Amino acid sequence: MAKIVVDPITRIEGHLRIEAEIDNGRITDAWSSSTMFRGIEKILQGRDPRDAWFWTQRFCGVCTTVHSIASIRAVEDALRIKIPPNAQLIRNIIIGIQNVQDHVIHFYHLHALDWVDVTSALKADPAGTSALAASLSDWPNNSPTYFKSVQDRLKAFVASGRLGPFANAYWGHPAYKLPPEANLMATAHYLEALEWQKDVIRIHAILGSKNPHPQTFLVGGMSIPIDPDSQNALNADKLMEIKRLLKKAQDFVEKVYIPDLLAVASFYKEWAAIGGGVGNFLCYGEFPDAAGNQWLPQGAILGKDISQVLPVDQKKVAEYVDHSWFEYKNGPEKGLHPWDGESEARYSGPKPPYEYLDTDKKYSWVKAPRYDEKAMEVGPLARVLVAYASGHKEAKAAVDMVLNKLGVGPEALFSTLGRTGARGIDCLLVARQTPKWLDELIANIAKGDYRIHANEKWDPGEWPAEASGYGWHEAPRGALGHWIKIRDQKILNYQAVVPSTWNASPRDARGQRGPYEAALIGTPVADPAKPLEILRTVHSFDPCLACAVHVVDTAGNEVIRVKVS
Amino acid sequence: MKFCSAMTAAMALPVTFAPKVAQALDEVKRPPLVWLEFQDCAGDTEALLRSANPTVGEIVLDILSVDYHETIMAAAGHQAEAALEKTIADYRGKYLCVVEGSIPMRDGGVYGCVGGKSHLERARQVCGGALATIAVGTCASFGGIPAAVPNPTGAVGVKEAVPGATVINLPGCPVNADNLTATVVHYLVFGKIPALDGHGRPLFAYGKRIHDNCERRPHFDAGQYVEQWGDDGHRKGFCLYRMGCKGPATFHNCPTQRYNDKTSWPVGSGHGCAGCSEPAFWDTMGPLYKRLPHVPGFGIEQTADKIGIGLAAGAATAFAVHGALNAIRRDKEPSDENREG
């Protein structure tokens, strides 16, 4: 038996380390550790709740809008603020394009190199690549000349002897299975997607000043004014530019991403039986309309049983620190609900530099959140499963299309490949839906409704002395919740339980593994010195670690009664 | 040439410099660059991915040799570490280092490790041997959000963690990628790092206040202010000072350089400037929607250092209840030792 360490896990956000035991070419046990901590929630205490979105947005520069949304929803929930329909629609458009852009970046730039051997693309016949691409879609960049130009650029790059970010990878690994022509197609689209993403995300700049870290959110609405007769507000010119970019986003997803995903997946179908994980899924639901109804439903699925979608109850969320570098006042055995979270950073790991962590003790800066005592997977797979099992029309059609094309059944979704496929399905659904919210916004403006902000509770003098609330959001990586307690117009307590906290969680009080850890068990590893297969399964979750690590300290503070059910 | 013209503009040079930029880029064959991430959120990496002139594809394939960057590199684990070791050994004193994120100093650096090594150890090893280190974003420049009161991990910027290194600060949350590429090109064209202000920031990007170049400045001068979100003045583009804009106390080229291929910037989308490129802005500029107490009237007559001291004094009062003055006091001290060029 060999214990191997992969640190840093690259092509993710944040600092993640995986230790794994391998026996007879398969992983028998695994430990997921985050090795960086900042303590932002502690820093938040005592500050203005209206500022919280700006601070929490910095939990993660990849999840650039998502913490703003969850934070603002938490404060609005606490203060009972109802935002105008235009603000709801603008937020939906921002969330929608974030989801689409983020998934495409993940597929091509963070995940694809686990499946695509770039060096093999040098041997491809560009005419063959052209024929392959043309058989998949009518994307304009499908000519032999185009693929030849990409290949020539690659050849010149390799000939320079300076491979930059492509040096030292697992090129030539026996687990790579794509023919050279498919590798060239995927590599060309890697470069195209880089160009595409920086363009379509300009929607965030138009609506929110810049990306990453847009700066247009407000408790109570948005700060981007609407006025068709002003050059300093959202006018027809800007709305049409957003429309064009949304069309561009949808085209790329339909004609490049989804065809590539299906083409690559068809060579790796054995991965539909690897990487299943904990089998429990949690989704908070997303995209509210003016009445608060969600377009994607919320729900929980337990034990891979998609015949039943359970309702979600925020009271059932609790975090454990038995294997995390924190301490609880009354001992670690009992999990704490986010409103009552009381934790203090206490590092007890080995002194750096170190070779191995004490994985039988505490070994991560990530806490272990559990739902009704169970480890849950969150993310596109959870979102798609809950929608599919709830009978969501568009979701069902998209899932059936993908399963039919690959010739596999729904059970294939519970896997590394299923997770990667669900991300594509999620992206496709949202890419098709987001233009509809823009049309609704335009229709509202045409009726003369320019409202973007609910002003009546902007002044903290209008607030109750004490308030608490929570805000939920389906981020690209899954169920995100922010919980806040406010006292005397200041933040008393703040807690975020983020997607990667659920997925990267270490073991809990009962020794239950987190989703990464559980999914790695049984994964084949052909060469322990080049554990490409570990990257495949871990990357299928799209780890995003900076926001997964946080601390809140309520030591000495009395518990406030929960006012929101 | 489009890129070269954009770069000359970013560096505030006359357009006639564009051919010189092009020539300099031809002569230098992809200088090696390593990008380290410490207590970061990858926001500066994301900004790099959005860069338009040049695009990140051009930077990686044609302009620089990005030998180490955890978020984009193909290798992982010990193979990734080996790539870093090779570059810093083969190009000692010649490679550029970019740092994203602050460095935790407390408790032996246990709050940040990669490959089992503390961020501090890595910073000393890599930044110490670099030709120059570019601290991108406010965290790497000044400690940023982890260093805000009460700074639980003892976070500091690169210059404070590795005092001997040559550091250029490009604060902002996140960095404007155009300012990063302009800094690199400045070096390639002129053979020296740009002139810096007292906070280690290049004058070409941080030499003037937001307020001095703001498109809404005429409304400030005319006394026309937004009073409520979505009001008539807000829709007409009036000044955001009363809504908490920190532009009068912030040195940055956002109004002229803008973001995402020059699409917009915070004030352009109706929200005040947060002051994110100033040292300790998290504590000195907050709350976000509280108006600045004293805004000087007309003209470009204030220096970064004068304004910084005024703000720190205000913040010291605000945070006295936290008993956390040390962080503020430290940031009041001018850091002139890194002034160059």
Side-chain angles (χ1 to χ4, degrees), chain A residues 113 117-120 122 151-172 187 190-191, chain B residues 29-34 56-69 72-75 79-80 83-84 86-87 90-91:
Chain A
L113 302 182
D117 186 338
V118 174
T119 58
S120 146
L122 298 172
Q151 195 182 43
D152 287 346
R153 194 178 181 199
L154 269 184
K155 280 181 178 165
F157 177 75
V158 172
S160 75
R162 310 267 299 278
L163 291 181
F166 303 106
N168 280 14
Y170 303 140
W171 311 131
T187 305
Y190 175 105
L191 295 170
Chain B
K29 300 291 181 217
R30 293 172 63 215
L33 180 143
V34 297
V56 68
E58 290 164 337
I59 292 170
V60 167
L61 293 180
D62 308 325
I63 298 173
L64 296 167
S65 183
V66 181
D67 293 349
Y68 186 85
H69 190 318
I72 59 173
M73 69 194 300
Q79 285 95 345
L84 178 64
K86 182 166 164 44
T87 295
D90 291 358
Y91 295 94

Side-chain angles (χ1 to χ4, degrees), chain A residues 10 15 35 51 61 162 211 230, chain B residues 30 41 50 75 113 235 288:
Chain A
T10 49
H15 302 289
T35 54
D51 290 6
R162 310 267 299 278
N211 175 282
S230 170
Chain B
R30 293 172 63 215
C41 74
R50 309 289 181 270
C113 291
R235 286 171 17 212
L288 207 47

Side-chain angles (χ1 to χ4, degrees), chain A residues 177-200:
Chain A
K177 292 190 174 172
L178 292 184
E181 284 67 30
N183 281 316
L184 177 58
M185 180 178 74
T187 305
H189 293 162
Y190 175 105
L191 295 170
E192 268 183 74
L194 265 184
E195 287 283 320
W196 170 91
Q197 58 87 27
K198 69 149 172 82
D199 205 15
V200 299

Side-chain angles (χ1 to χ4, degrees), chain B residues 145-186:
Chain B
I145 190 168
V149 172
N151 192 349
T153 60
V156 298
V158 182
K159 186 66 193 174
E160 195 168 338
V162 193
T166 303
V167 179
I168 303 165
N169 287 329
L170 299 179
C173 192
V175 69
N176 189 329
D178 289 340
N179 289 338
L180 170 60
T181 43
T183 301
V184 172
V185 174
H186 183 109

